[in-house]
Amino acid sequence: NVSHEIRTPLNAVVGFSQLLSMPDDVVSPEEKEDYVKYIQNNSELLIMLVNDILSIGDVERGQFIVNIADVLCNEVCNKSMRTAETRLTDGVRLYFTSDVDDNFTIKSDEHRIQQVLVNFLTNACKHTDSGEIHVHCSVTEKPGMITFSVADTGSGVPADEAEHIFERFTKLNAFKQGAGLGLSICKNIATFLKGDVYLDTSYTNGARFVFELPIK
């Protein structure tokens, strides 16, 4: 499974890199710009897959490291969105709302929070061909917790798969890229940070993934 998922973006990187070396009278500068975007996107997919595999290895060896410090909640959401926005389908709106001030912080691991949100956003981009992706940050949704959520207007997830999708190598659509490791890693990260991740089965416009962390 993993070797197949590595081969797909790697072939794209190699193929489009070869096209970039062709002279301008064969491939126009505009086409080359598109090829650069394809290379960047597939390179990021490849890096994410390798990082997911390394994270799984760290968990199994008991070497999963978290670095606790002050985390600006709104800032980590915006950073995650900037990382994922290159994967948006044309015409899909990505936006952010929050009910906390920009200076609101929690004690946690910024890198790990971003890892979860980028996984959520990558899945949303992958399964949303039209409409919108909404990132939200809230302290009112569940008292005592900071709630990060990513809601989309994509194909959605059946309610009976709500827990199953957090298992390793689970893919509801075999034709979409990914090894089925991302959500499993999100579950591990949430556990290490004393929080939780889950699918909001009450949301019916697509899929809404939630990441909760204790404020104190």
Side-chain angles (χ1 to χ4, degrees):
N1 190 332
V2 170
S3 64
H4 170 75
E5 295 298 339
I6 288 176
R7 191 159 50 243
T8 301
L10 192 57
N11 284 341
V13 170
V14 172
F16 286 114
S17 297
Q18 290 173 338
L19 290 173
L20 278 178
S21 66
M22 299 181 72
D24 288 345
D25 59 344
V26 177
V27 179
S28 70
E30 291 78 15
E31 287 175 315
K32 288 188 176 182
E33 286 183 15
D34 287 337
Y35 297 159
V36 169
K37 291 178 183 177
Y38 288 130
I39 291 170
Q40 180 183 8
N41 185 48
N42 281 278
S43 296
E44 289 171 354
L45 287 171
L46 192 58
I47 291 168
M48 178 171 283
L49 178 59
V50 172
N51 286 338
D52 285 350
I53 295 168
L54 293 174
S55 292
I56 288 289
D58 288 342
V59 170
E60 291 184 339
R61 291 191 302 273
Q63 297 175 349
F64 196 82
I65 298 171
V66 292
N67 297 301
I68 304 300
D70 286 333
V71 178
L72 289 164
C73 295
N74 288 346
E75 182 177 301
V76 74
C77 289
N78 283 305
K79 284 181 179 179
S80 302
M81 291 169 65
R82 287 194 294 271
T83 299
E85 64 186 359
T86 57
R87 300 177 185 132
L88 274 174
T89 300
D90 289 342
V92 175
R93 180 191 176 207
L94 173 63
Y95 69 103
F96 172 61
T97 58
S98 177
D99 62 26
V100 302
D101 295 331
D102 285 343
N103 61 357
F104 183 85
T105 63
I106 59 170
K107 290 284 188 182
S108 194
D109 186 322
E110 179 178 352
H111 171 72
R112 297 301 184 182
I113 295 173
Q114 190 170 343
Q115 193 175 353
V116 171
L117 293 177
V118 169
N119 262 302
F120 284 176
L121 283 162
T122 299
N123 281 340
C125 292
K126 198 185 304 181
H127 296 285
T128 306
D129 296 324
S130 62
E132 64 183 37
I133 298 171
H134 177 200
V135 181
H136 184 61
C137 180
S138 173
V139 290
T140 59
E141 185 167 337
K142 187 173 181 179
M145 307 291 281
I146 184 82
T147 302
F148 303 97
S149 62
V150 177
D152 62 53
T153 55
S155 53
V157 179
D160 58 357
E161 296 284 353
E163 287 300 321
H164 183 56
I165 57 173
F166 289 97
E167 298 172 1
R168 290 187 194 178
F169 300 110
T170 298
K171 293 178 66 175
L172 299 186
N173 187 339
F175 297 100
K176 296 291 186 179
Q177 282 184 317
L181 288 172
L183 290 178
S184 172
I185 291 166
C186 290
K187 193 76 170 178
N188 287 326
I189 291 172
T191 300
F192 275 96
L193 296 179
K194 312 300 183 186
D196 193 19
V197 291
Y198 59 90
L199 175 74
D200 180 1
T201 54
S202 67
Y203 180 80
T204 57
N205 292 329
R208 180 176 184 261
F209 285 91
V210 179
F211 181 23
E212 295 175 343
L213 289 172
I215 293 176
K216 295 183 179 179

Short mmCIF file of all heavy atoms in Angstrom, two decimals, residues 102-164:
data_model
loop_
_atom_site.label_atom_id
_atom_site.label_comp_id
_atom_site.label_asym_id
_atom_site.label_seq_id
_atom_site.Cartn_x
_atom_site.Cartn_y
_atom_site.Cartn_z
N ASP A 102 -6.71 37.06 18.79
CA ASP A 102 -5.47 36.60 18.16
C ASP A 102 -4.36 36.31 19.17
O ASP A 102 -3.43 35.57 18.88
CB ASP A 102 -4.98 37.63 17.14
CG ASP A 102 -5.80 37.62 15.87
OD1 ASP A 102 -6.53 36.62 15.64
OD2 ASP A 102 -5.74 38.60 15.11
N ASN A 103 -4.45 36.90 20.36
CA ASN A 103 -3.41 36.67 21.37
C ASN A 103 -3.76 35.54 22.33
O ASN A 103 -3.03 35.29 23.30
CB ASN A 103 -3.12 37.95 22.16
CG ASN A 103 -4.36 38.47 22.91
OD1 ASN A 103 -5.44 37.89 22.80
ND2 ASN A 103 -4.18 39.56 23.65
N PHE A 104 -4.84 34.81 22.06
CA PHE A 104 -5.25 33.70 22.93
C PHE A 104 -4.30 32.52 22.73
O PHE A 104 -4.05 32.08 21.61
CB PHE A 104 -6.68 33.28 22.61
CG PHE A 104 -7.21 32.19 23.51
CD1 PHE A 104 -7.78 32.49 24.73
CD2 PHE A 104 -7.12 30.85 23.13
CE1 PHE A 104 -8.27 31.50 25.56
CE2 PHE A 104 -7.60 29.84 23.95
CZ PHE A 104 -8.17 30.17 25.18
N THR A 105 -3.76 31.99 23.85
CA THR A 105 -2.80 30.89 23.77
C THR A 105 -3.22 29.73 24.65
O THR A 105 -4.00 29.88 25.60
CB THR A 105 -1.40 31.34 24.20
OG1 THR A 105 -1.43 31.73 25.59
CG2 THR A 105 -0.88 32.48 23.36
N ILE A 106 -2.70 28.56 24.32
CA ILE A 106 -2.80 27.38 25.18
C ILE A 106 -1.39 26.78 25.29
O ILE A 106 -0.51 27.09 24.49
CB ILE A 106 -3.77 26.31 24.63
CG1 ILE A 106 -3.32 25.84 23.23
CG2 ILE A 106 -5.19 26.82 24.62
CD1 ILE A 106 -4.09 24.63 22.71
N LYS A 107 -1.19 25.94 26.29
CA LYS A 107 0.07 25.22 26.43
C LYS A 107 -0.06 23.89 25.69
O LYS A 107 -0.82 23.01 26.09
CB LYS A 107 0.38 24.95 27.91
CG LYS A 107 0.73 26.18 28.72
CD LYS A 107 2.14 26.64 28.43
CE LYS A 107 2.55 27.76 29.40
NZ LYS A 107 3.91 28.27 29.10
N SER A 108 0.66 23.77 24.58
CA SER A 108 0.59 22.54 23.80
C SER A 108 1.77 22.50 22.82
O SER A 108 2.74 23.24 22.98
CB SER A 108 -0.75 22.46 23.05
OG SER A 108 -0.97 21.16 22.55
N ASP A 109 1.69 21.64 21.81
CA ASP A 109 2.75 21.50 20.82
C ASP A 109 2.24 22.04 19.47
O ASP A 109 1.38 21.43 18.84
CB ASP A 109 3.14 20.02 20.68
CG ASP A 109 4.34 19.81 19.77
OD1 ASP A 109 4.45 20.51 18.75
OD2 ASP A 109 5.15 18.92 20.05
N GLU A 110 2.75 23.21 19.08
CA GLU A 110 2.28 23.87 17.86
C GLU A 110 2.46 22.98 16.63
O GLU A 110 1.57 22.88 15.78
CB GLU A 110 3.01 25.19 17.65
CG GLU A 110 2.57 25.92 16.39
CD GLU A 110 3.28 27.26 16.22
OE1 GLU A 110 3.99 27.68 17.15
OE2 GLU A 110 3.12 27.87 15.15
N HIS A 111 3.62 22.33 16.53
CA HIS A 111 3.90 21.50 15.35
C HIS A 111 2.89 20.36 15.24
O HIS A 111 2.39 20.06 14.15
CB HIS A 111 5.31 20.95 15.44
CG HIS A 111 5.62 19.92 14.38
ND1 HIS A 111 5.79 20.24 13.05
CD2 HIS A 111 5.75 18.56 14.46
CE1 HIS A 111 6.02 19.14 12.36
NE2 HIS A 111 6.00 18.11 13.19
N ARG A 112 2.57 19.72 16.37
CA ARG A 112 1.64 18.59 16.34
C ARG A 112 0.22 19.04 16.04
O ARG A 112 -0.53 18.35 15.33
CB ARG A 112 1.70 17.83 17.67
CG ARG A 112 3.05 17.20 17.97
CD ARG A 112 3.46 16.21 16.91
NE ARG A 112 4.72 15.54 17.25
CZ ARG A 112 5.33 14.67 16.47
NH1 ARG A 112 4.83 14.35 15.30
NH2 ARG A 112 6.46 14.10 16.86
N ILE A 113 -0.17 20.20 16.58
CA ILE A 113 -1.50 20.74 16.26
C ILE A 113 -1.61 21.01 14.77
O ILE A 113 -2.59 20.67 14.11
CB ILE A 113 -1.78 22.02 17.07
CG1 ILE A 113 -1.86 21.71 18.57
CG2 ILE A 113 -3.08 22.68 16.61
CD1 ILE A 113 -1.97 22.95 19.44
N GLN A 114 -0.55 21.62 14.23
CA GLN A 114 -0.55 21.93 12.80
C GLN A 114 -0.58 20.64 11.97
O GLN A 114 -1.24 20.58 10.92
CB GLN A 114 0.69 22.75 12.45
CG GLN A 114 0.67 23.33 11.05
CD GLN A 114 1.79 24.33 10.82
OE1 GLN A 114 2.39 24.84 11.76
NE2 GLN A 114 2.08 24.61 9.56
N GLN A 115 0.09 19.61 12.44
CA GLN A 115 0.09 18.33 11.73
C GLN A 115 -1.33 17.77 11.62
O GLN A 115 -1.74 17.28 10.57
CB GLN A 115 1.00 17.34 12.47
CG GLN A 115 1.33 16.08 11.68
CD GLN A 115 2.33 15.20 12.42
OE1 GLN A 115 2.87 15.58 13.46
NE2 GLN A 115 2.57 14.02 11.89
N VAL A 116 -2.10 17.87 12.70
CA VAL A 116 -3.48 17.40 12.68
C VAL A 116 -4.33 18.24 11.73
O VAL A 116 -5.06 17.71 10.89
CB VAL A 116 -4.10 17.43 14.10
CG1 VAL A 116 -5.60 17.14 14.05
CG2 VAL A 116 -3.40 16.42 15.00
N LEU A 117 -4.21 19.56 11.85
CA LEU A 117 -5.04 20.44 11.02
C LEU A 117 -4.71 20.30 9.54
O LEU A 117 -5.61 20.32 8.69
CB LEU A 117 -4.87 21.89 11.47
CG LEU A 117 -5.42 22.23 12.87
CD1 LEU A 117 -5.13 23.68 13.23
CD2 LEU A 117 -6.90 21.94 12.95
N VAL A 118 -3.44 20.15 9.22
CA VAL A 118 -3.05 19.98 7.81
C VAL A 118 -3.61 18.65 7.27
O VAL A 118 -4.06 18.58 6.13
CB VAL A 118 -1.52 20.04 7.64
CG1 VAL A 118 -1.11 19.58 6.25
CG2 VAL A 118 -1.02 21.46 7.89
N ASN A 119 -3.60 17.61 8.10
CA ASN A 119 -4.21 16.36 7.68
C ASN A 119 -5.71 16.53 7.41
O ASN A 119 -6.24 16.05 6.40
CB ASN A 119 -4.00 15.28 8.75
CG ASN A 119 -2.84 14.36 8.44
OD1 ASN A 119 -2.82 13.71 7.40
ND2 ASN A 119 -1.86 14.31 9.32
N PHE A 120 -6.40 17.21 8.32
CA PHE A 120 -7.83 17.48 8.13
C PHE A 120 -8.06 18.27 6.84
O PHE A 120 -8.96 17.96 6.05
CB PHE A 120 -8.39 18.29 9.31
CG PHE A 120 -8.61 17.51 10.57
CD1 PHE A 120 -9.04 18.15 11.73
CD2 PHE A 120 -8.41 16.14 10.63
CE1 PHE A 120 -9.25 17.45 12.91
CE2 PHE A 120 -8.61 15.42 11.80
CZ PHE A 120 -9.04 16.08 12.94
N LEU A 121 -7.24 19.30 6.64
CA LEU A 121 -7.40 20.17 5.47
C LEU A 121 -7.07 19.44 4.17
O LEU A 121 -7.74 19.63 3.14
CB LEU A 121 -6.52 21.41 5.62
CG LEU A 121 -7.05 22.48 6.57
CD1 LEU A 121 -5.95 23.44 6.98
CD2 LEU A 121 -8.19 23.24 5.90
N THR A 122 -6.04 18.60 4.22
CA THR A 122 -5.68 17.83 3.03
C THR A 122 -6.83 16.91 2.61
O THR A 122 -7.18 16.81 1.43
CB THR A 122 -4.41 17.00 3.29
OG1 THR A 122 -3.33 17.89 3.60
CG2 THR A 122 -4.04 16.19 2.06
N ASN A 123 -7.45 16.25 3.59
CA ASN A 123 -8.59 15.40 3.30
C ASN A 123 -9.76 16.21 2.74
O ASN A 123 -10.43 15.79 1.79
CB ASN A 123 -9.05 14.66 4.56
CG ASN A 123 -8.19 13.46 4.87
OD1 ASN A 123 -7.50 12.94 4.00
ND2 ASN A 123 -8.21 13.01 6.11
N ALA A 124 -9.99 17.40 3.33
CA ALA A 124 -11.09 18.25 2.86
C ALA A 124 -10.85 18.69 1.42
O ALA A 124 -11.77 18.65 0.58
CB ALA A 124 -11.22 19.46 3.77
N CYS A 125 -9.62 19.10 1.10
CA CYS A 125 -9.29 19.52 -0.27
C CYS A 125 -9.46 18.36 -1.25
O CYS A 125 -9.91 18.53 -2.38
CB CYS A 125 -7.86 20.05 -0.34
SG CYS A 125 -7.58 21.60 0.53
N LYS A 126 -9.09 17.18 -0.80
CA LYS A 126 -9.12 15.99 -1.64
C LYS A 126 -10.56 15.61 -2.02
O LYS A 126 -10.81 15.13 -3.12
CB LYS A 126 -8.46 14.83 -0.88
CG LYS A 126 -8.03 13.66 -1.72
CD LYS A 126 -7.49 12.54 -0.84
CE LYS A 126 -6.35 12.98 0.04
NZ LYS A 126 -5.83 11.87 0.88
N HIS A 127 -11.49 15.82 -1.09
CA HIS A 127 -12.86 15.33 -1.29
C HIS A 127 -13.87 16.44 -1.58
O HIS A 127 -15.06 16.17 -1.65
CB HIS A 127 -13.30 14.55 -0.05
CG HIS A 127 -12.49 13.31 0.20
ND1 HIS A 127 -12.64 12.16 -0.56
CD2 HIS A 127 -11.50 13.05 1.09
CE1 HIS A 127 -11.80 11.24 -0.13
NE2 HIS A 127 -11.09 11.75 0.86
N THR A 128 -13.41 17.68 -1.75
CA THR A 128 -14.32 18.80 -2.00
C THR A 128 -14.05 19.39 -3.38
O THR A 128 -13.02 20.03 -3.60
CB THR A 128 -14.16 19.89 -0.92
OG1 THR A 128 -14.32 19.30 0.37
CG2 THR A 128 -15.20 20.97 -1.10
N ASP A 129 -14.97 19.16 -4.30
CA ASP A 129 -14.82 19.65 -5.67
C ASP A 129 -15.51 20.99 -5.89
O ASP A 129 -15.26 21.66 -6.88
CB ASP A 129 -15.37 18.62 -6.66
CG ASP A 129 -14.59 17.31 -6.63
OD1 ASP A 129 -13.36 17.38 -6.45
OD2 ASP A 129 -15.20 16.24 -6.76
N SER A 130 -16.43 21.36 -4.99
CA SER A 130 -17.13 22.64 -5.10
C SER A 130 -17.61 23.06 -3.71
O SER A 130 -17.69 22.24 -2.80
CB SER A 130 -18.33 22.53 -6.05
OG SER A 130 -19.27 21.59 -5.56
N GLY A 131 -17.90 24.35 -3.58
CA GLY A 131 -18.40 24.84 -2.29
C GLY A 131 -17.31 25.46 -1.46
O GLY A 131 -16.58 26.34 -1.93
N GLU A 132 -17.15 25.01 -0.21
CA GLU A 132 -16.24 25.68 0.70
C GLU A 132 -15.64 24.74 1.73
O GLU A 132 -16.15 23.64 1.97
CB GLU A 132 -16.98 26.80 1.44
CG GLU A 132 -18.10 26.29 2.33
CD GLU A 132 -18.87 27.42 3.01
OE1 GLU A 132 -19.07 28.47 2.36
OE2 GLU A 132 -19.27 27.25 4.18
N ILE A 133 -14.54 25.20 2.32
CA ILE A 133 -13.90 24.53 3.45
C ILE A 133 -13.76 25.57 4.54
O ILE A 133 -13.16 26.63 4.33
CB ILE A 133 -12.52 23.95 3.06
CG1 ILE A 133 -12.69 22.89 1.97
CG2 ILE A 133 -11.83 23.36 4.28
CD1 ILE A 133 -11.37 22.41 1.38
N HIS A 134 -14.30 25.27 5.70
CA HIS A 134 -14.39 26.25 6.79
C HIS A 134 -13.58 25.76 7.99
O HIS A 134 -13.88 24.72 8.56
CB HIS A 134 -15.86 26.44 7.17
CG HIS A 134 -16.07 27.36 8.33
ND1 HIS A 134 -17.23 27.36 9.07
CD2 HIS A 134 -15.28 28.32 8.89
CE1 HIS A 134 -17.14 28.26 10.03
NE2 HIS A 134 -15.97 28.86 9.95
N VAL A 135 -12.56 26.52 8.36
CA VAL A 135 -11.77 26.23 9.55
C VAL A 135 -12.28 27.13 10.67
O VAL A 135 -12.45 28.34 10.48
CB VAL A 135 -10.27 26.49 9.30
CG1 VAL A 135 -9.46 26.17 10.55
CG2 VAL A 135 -9.78 25.66 8.12
N HIS A 136 -12.53 26.54 11.85
CA HIS A 136 -13.07 27.33 12.96
C HIS A 136 -12.33 26.99 14.25
O HIS A 136 -11.92 25.84 14.47
CB HIS A 136 -14.56 27.05 13.13
CG HIS A 136 -15.21 27.90 14.18
ND1 HIS A 136 -15.26 29.28 14.11
CD2 HIS A 136 -15.85 27.57 15.35
CE1 HIS A 136 -15.88 29.76 15.17
NE2 HIS A 136 -16.25 28.74 15.94
N CYS A 137 -12.17 28.00 15.10
CA CYS A 137 -11.54 27.85 16.40
C CYS A 137 -12.49 28.38 17.46
O CYS A 137 -12.98 29.51 17.34
CB CYS A 137 -10.22 28.62 16.42
SG CYS A 137 -9.32 28.52 17.98
N SER A 138 -12.76 27.57 18.49
CA SER A 138 -13.78 27.94 19.47
C SER A 138 -13.43 27.50 20.88
O SER A 138 -12.84 26.43 21.08
CB SER A 138 -15.13 27.32 19.07
OG SER A 138 -16.10 27.54 20.06
N VAL A 139 -13.81 28.33 21.86
CA VAL A 139 -13.71 27.93 23.27
C VAL A 139 -15.10 27.75 23.87
O VAL A 139 -15.23 27.40 25.04
CB VAL A 139 -12.92 28.96 24.11
CG1 VAL A 139 -11.46 28.94 23.74
CG2 VAL A 139 -13.52 30.35 23.97
N THR A 140 -16.13 27.99 23.07
CA THR A 140 -17.50 27.90 23.57
C THR A 140 -18.19 26.59 23.19
O THR A 140 -19.18 26.22 23.80
CB THR A 140 -18.34 29.08 23.06
OG1 THR A 140 -18.35 29.06 21.61
CG2 THR A 140 -17.77 30.40 23.53
N GLU A 141 -17.66 25.90 22.17
CA GLU A 141 -18.31 24.68 21.72
C GLU A 141 -18.32 23.60 22.80
O GLU A 141 -19.30 22.88 22.98
CB GLU A 141 -17.64 24.16 20.45
CG GLU A 141 -18.34 22.96 19.84
CD GLU A 141 -17.86 22.64 18.44
OE1 GLU A 141 -17.32 23.54 17.75
OE2 GLU A 141 -18.03 21.48 18.01
N LYS A 142 -17.20 23.48 23.52
CA LYS A 142 -17.12 22.54 24.63
C LYS A 142 -16.36 23.21 25.76
O LYS A 142 -15.16 23.47 25.63
CB LYS A 142 -16.42 21.25 24.20
CG LYS A 142 -16.45 20.17 25.28
CD LYS A 142 -15.90 18.85 24.74
CE LYS A 142 -15.96 17.76 25.80
NZ LYS A 142 -15.45 16.46 25.28
N PRO A 143 -17.02 23.51 26.89
CA PRO A 143 -16.38 24.22 27.99
C PRO A 143 -15.10 23.51 28.47
O PRO A 143 -15.06 22.29 28.59
CB PRO A 143 -17.46 24.20 29.08
CG PRO A 143 -18.74 24.10 28.33
CD PRO A 143 -18.45 23.23 27.15
N GLY A 144 -14.07 24.33 28.71
CA GLY A 144 -12.81 23.80 29.19
C GLY A 144 -11.89 23.30 28.09
O GLY A 144 -10.76 22.91 28.37
N MET A 145 -12.37 23.32 26.84
CA MET A 145 -11.58 22.81 25.72
C MET A 145 -11.48 23.88 24.63
O MET A 145 -12.38 24.71 24.45
CB MET A 145 -12.23 21.56 25.12
CG MET A 145 -12.52 20.46 26.12
SD MET A 145 -11.03 19.66 26.77
CE MET A 145 -10.62 18.55 25.40
N ILE A 146 -10.37 23.87 23.90
CA ILE A 146 -10.27 24.63 22.65
C ILE A 146 -10.62 23.67 21.53
O ILE A 146 -10.09 22.56 21.47
CB ILE A 146 -8.86 25.24 22.46
CG1 ILE A 146 -8.80 26.10 21.20
CG2 ILE A 146 -7.77 24.17 22.44
CD1 ILE A 146 -9.33 27.48 21.36
N THR A 147 -11.55 24.07 20.68
CA THR A 147 -12.04 23.19 19.62
C THR A 147 -11.62 23.73 18.26
O THR A 147 -12.00 24.84 17.88
CB THR A 147 -13.57 23.06 19.67
OG1 THR A 147 -13.96 22.55 20.94
CG2 THR A 147 -14.07 22.12 18.57
N PHE A 148 -10.82 22.96 17.53
CA PHE A 148 -10.47 23.26 16.15
C PHE A 148 -11.33 22.36 15.26
O PHE A 148 -11.43 21.16 15.52
CB PHE A 148 -8.99 22.96 15.87
CG PHE A 148 -8.03 23.69 16.76
CD1 PHE A 148 -7.48 23.06 17.88
CD2 PHE A 148 -7.65 24.99 16.48
CE1 PHE A 148 -6.58 23.72 18.70
CE2 PHE A 148 -6.74 25.66 17.30
CZ PHE A 148 -6.21 25.01 18.41
N SER A 149 -11.93 22.93 14.24
CA SER A 149 -12.74 22.10 13.35
C SER A 149 -12.49 22.49 11.90
O SER A 149 -12.18 23.64 11.58
CB SER A 149 -14.23 22.24 13.67
OG SER A 149 -14.68 23.57 13.48
N VAL A 150 -12.62 21.49 11.03
CA VAL A 150 -12.52 21.69 9.58
C VAL A 150 -13.76 21.06 8.95
O VAL A 150 -13.94 19.85 9.00
CB VAL A 150 -11.24 21.04 9.00
CG1 VAL A 150 -11.23 21.20 7.48
CG2 VAL A 150 -10.00 21.66 9.61
N ALA A 151 -14.62 21.91 8.41
CA ALA A 151 -15.87 21.45 7.79
C ALA A 151 -15.83 21.73 6.29
O ALA A 151 -15.34 22.78 5.87
CB ALA A 151 -17.07 22.16 8.42
N ASP A 152 -16.33 20.79 5.49
CA ASP A 152 -16.32 20.98 4.05
C ASP A 152 -17.69 20.64 3.46
O ASP A 152 -18.58 20.14 4.15
CB ASP A 152 -15.22 20.13 3.39
CG ASP A 152 -15.41 18.64 3.59
OD1 ASP A 152 -16.50 18.12 3.27
OD2 ASP A 152 -14.46 17.96 4.05
N THR A 153 -17.83 20.92 2.18
CA THR A 153 -19.07 20.60 1.46
C THR A 153 -18.80 19.49 0.44
O THR A 153 -19.38 19.48 -0.65
CB THR A 153 -19.62 21.85 0.75
OG1 THR A 153 -18.60 22.40 -0.10
CG2 THR A 153 -20.04 22.90 1.76
N GLY A 154 -17.91 18.57 0.82
CA GLY A 154 -17.51 17.49 -0.08
C GLY A 154 -18.41 16.27 0.00
O GLY A 154 -19.59 16.36 0.38
N SER A 155 -17.83 15.13 -0.31
CA SER A 155 -18.60 13.89 -0.43
C SER A 155 -19.05 13.33 0.91
O SER A 155 -19.96 12.50 0.98
CB SER A 155 -17.77 12.83 -1.18
OG SER A 155 -16.49 12.69 -0.58
N GLY A 156 -18.41 13.76 2.01
CA GLY A 156 -18.84 13.34 3.34
C GLY A 156 -18.39 11.94 3.70
O GLY A 156 -17.79 11.22 2.90
N VAL A 157 -18.70 11.53 4.92
CA VAL A 157 -18.34 10.22 5.45
C VAL A 157 -19.59 9.61 6.08
O VAL A 157 -20.24 10.27 6.90
CB VAL A 157 -17.23 10.33 6.51
CG1 VAL A 157 -16.88 8.96 7.07
CG2 VAL A 157 -15.98 11.01 5.94
N PRO A 158 -19.94 8.37 5.73
CA PRO A 158 -21.10 7.73 6.37
C PRO A 158 -20.92 7.67 7.89
O PRO A 158 -19.81 7.42 8.38
CB PRO A 158 -21.12 6.33 5.76
CG PRO A 158 -20.36 6.46 4.47
CD PRO A 158 -19.32 7.51 4.71
N ALA A 159 -22.00 7.89 8.63
CA ALA A 159 -21.93 7.92 10.09
C ALA A 159 -21.39 6.61 10.67
O ALA A 159 -20.68 6.62 11.68
CB ALA A 159 -23.31 8.22 10.67
N ASP A 160 -21.68 5.48 10.00
CA ASP A 160 -21.21 4.19 10.54
C ASP A 160 -19.71 3.97 10.33
O ASP A 160 -19.15 2.98 10.81
CB ASP A 160 -22.02 3.03 9.95
CG ASP A 160 -21.95 2.96 8.43
OD1 ASP A 160 -21.32 3.85 7.82
OD2 ASP A 160 -22.53 2.03 7.84
N GLU A 161 -19.06 4.90 9.61
CA GLU A 161 -17.61 4.82 9.42
C GLU A 161 -16.87 5.79 10.33
O GLU A 161 -15.65 5.92 10.24
CB GLU A 161 -17.26 5.13 7.96
CG GLU A 161 -17.80 4.15 6.93
CD GLU A 161 -17.02 2.85 6.91
OE1 GLU A 161 -15.98 2.76 7.59
OE2 GLU A 161 -17.46 1.92 6.22
N ALA A 162 -17.61 6.46 11.23
CA ALA A 162 -17.03 7.54 12.03
C ALA A 162 -15.81 7.11 12.84
O ALA A 162 -14.84 7.86 12.96
CB ALA A 162 -18.10 8.12 12.96
N GLU A 163 -15.83 5.92 13.41
CA GLU A 163 -14.69 5.44 14.18
C GLU A 163 -13.70 4.68 13.31
O GLU A 163 -12.49 4.76 13.48
CB GLU A 163 -15.17 4.53 15.32
CG GLU A 163 -15.85 5.29 16.45
CD GLU A 163 -14.94 6.32 17.11
OE1 GLU A 163 -13.74 6.04 17.28
OE2 GLU A 163 -15.43 7.41 17.44
N HIS A 164 -14.22 3.96 12.33
CA HIS A 164 -13.39 3.11 11.47
C HIS A 164 -12.35 3.93 10.71
O HIS A 164 -11.24 3.46 10.46
CB HIS A 164 -14.30 2.35 10.52
CG HIS A 164 -13.58 1.38 9.63
ND1 HIS A 164 -12.77 0.38 10.12
CD2 HIS A 164 -13.54 1.27 8.27
CE1 HIS A 164 -12.26 -0.32 9.11
NE2 HIS A 164 -12.70 0.21 7.98
#
